[in-house]
């Protein structure tokens, strides 16, 4: 893996410019801060494009290391933030792509508030049209189908193991089946397998 070979996570790697030089934009944007987190630079408005956005740069590092196919900008896309196919890889689901971040917002069950993950993860979702400065977290798959994927590659439970099925914090639907007001990331719950509408996005923990 990238971390095993280079000693740091992609995007967070602070010696990247020394290896790839100008192929990796400029030194200020190419290098991460080596704090162990793949961070999305947040502000009160859109991302400050003068800052290093490790979340997007991670894919450029992986591409330059020949660990994935494709070429990626490594940078925030003006006005829209995430541009599937340009700064993050496409998935096989229409309109959805793969992003990497240590902070992904999700909806807390039976609560009006949201919360965020606090671990490095690969996130499969559609970009957010109204929140360009956030990690993508728009639902793209039904709870029924998300459970089938989870059964194949993990433990089949929405919020345990490596694969998590979460819901966009602005959605009226649910990916999980629960009856209590809990922070679902820390309470094991089953998928709402009767839900056939797009109500989930997927997060795969990488640490």
């Amino acid at each position: 893996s990238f971390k095993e070979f280079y000693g740091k996570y992609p995007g967070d790697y602070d010696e990247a410019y020394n290896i790839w030089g100008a192929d990796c934009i400029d030194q200020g944007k190419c290098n991460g801060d080596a704090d162990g987190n793949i961070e999305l630079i947040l502000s009160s408005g859109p991302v400050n494009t003068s800052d290093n956005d490790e979340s997007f740069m991670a894919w450029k590092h992986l591409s330059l290391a020949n660990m994935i196919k494709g070429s990626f900008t490594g940078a925030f896309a003006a006005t829209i933030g995430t541009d599937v196919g340009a700064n993050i890889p496409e998935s096989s689901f229409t309109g959805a792509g793969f992003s990497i971040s240590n902070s992904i917002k999700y909806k807390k069950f039976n609560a009006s508030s949201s919360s965020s993950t606090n671990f490095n993860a690969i996130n499969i979702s559609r970009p957010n049209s109204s929140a360009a400065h956030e990690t993508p977290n728009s639902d793209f798959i039904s709870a029924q189908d998300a459970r089938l994927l989870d059964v194949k590659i993990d433990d089949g439970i929405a919020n345990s193991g490596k694969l998590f099925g979460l819901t966009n914090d602005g959605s009226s639907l649910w990916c999980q089946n629960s009856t209590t007001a809990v922070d679902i990331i820390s309470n094991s719950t089953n998928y709402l397998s009767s839900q056939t509408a797009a109500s989930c996005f997927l997060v795969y923990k990488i640490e």
Side-chain angles (χ1 to χ4, degrees):
S1 71
F2 190 99
K3 187 180 180 185
E4 289 173 340
F5 191 84
Y6 295 102
K8 301 289 190 304
Y9 286 111
D12 190 48
Y13 185 35
D14 57 344
E15 297 290 333
Y17 190 79
N18 292 342
I19 296 175
W20 297 301
D23 288 338
C24 192
I25 314 180
D26 60 62
Q27 186 169 1
K29 292 182 179 179
C30 178
N31 289 342
D33 59 12
D35 67 350
N37 297 311
I38 304 171
E39 295 150 326
L40 177 69
I41 305 299
L42 294 178
S43 64
S44 58
V47 173
N48 181 347
T49 55
S50 66
D51 289 331
N52 174 16
D53 197 325
E54 295 179 351
S55 180
F56 294 127
M57 187 54 67
W59 296 112
K60 192 166 189 70
H61 286 180
L62 287 166
S63 177
L64 290 169
N66 294 314
M67 292 185 175
I68 59 171
K69 294 181 179 179
S71 177
F72 303 96
T73 66
F76 179 84
T79 70
I80 61 172
T82 300
D83 188 356
V84 177
N87 58 12
I88 67 169
E90 295 178 275
S91 77
S92 58
F93 296 92
T94 302
F98 297 92
S99 59
I100 303 179
S101 176
N102 74 322
S103 181
I104 303 165
K105 189 182 287 186
Y106 60 89
K107 181 180 179 182
K108 293 174 70 172
F109 200 89
N110 284 355
S112 59
S113 60
S114 62
S115 189
S116 296
T117 60
N118 61 354
F119 49 79
N120 292 323
I122 297 174
N123 167 32
I124 311 171
S125 65
R126 291 194 175 108
N128 309 327
S129 58
S130 60
H133 64 286
E134 295 179 356
T135 302
N137 69 342
S138 290
D139 306 326
F140 73 96
I141 188 172
S142 70
Q144 191 174 87
D145 289 340
R147 179 185 174 278
L148 293 176
L149 283 174
D150 203 323
V151 166
K152 286 184 178 181
I153 66 175
D154 197 29
D155 58 5
I157 299 174
N159 297 309
S160 72
K162 286 283 193 179
L163 185 68
F164 294 76
L166 302 175
T167 301
N168 177 273
D169 55 299
S171 175
S172 61
L173 303 177
W174 290 104
C175 184
Q176 308 81 13
N177 182 21
S178 179
T179 58
T180 57
V182 297
D183 182 352
I184 56 176
I185 203 73
S186 57
N187 292 266
S188 294
T189 56
N190 293 318
Y191 287 92
L192 184 60
S193 55
S194 61
Q195 179 60 264
T196 58
S199 56
C200 306
F201 67 94
L202 301 176
V203 170
Y204 189 84
K205 192 173 183 179
I206 57 175
E207 62 173 26

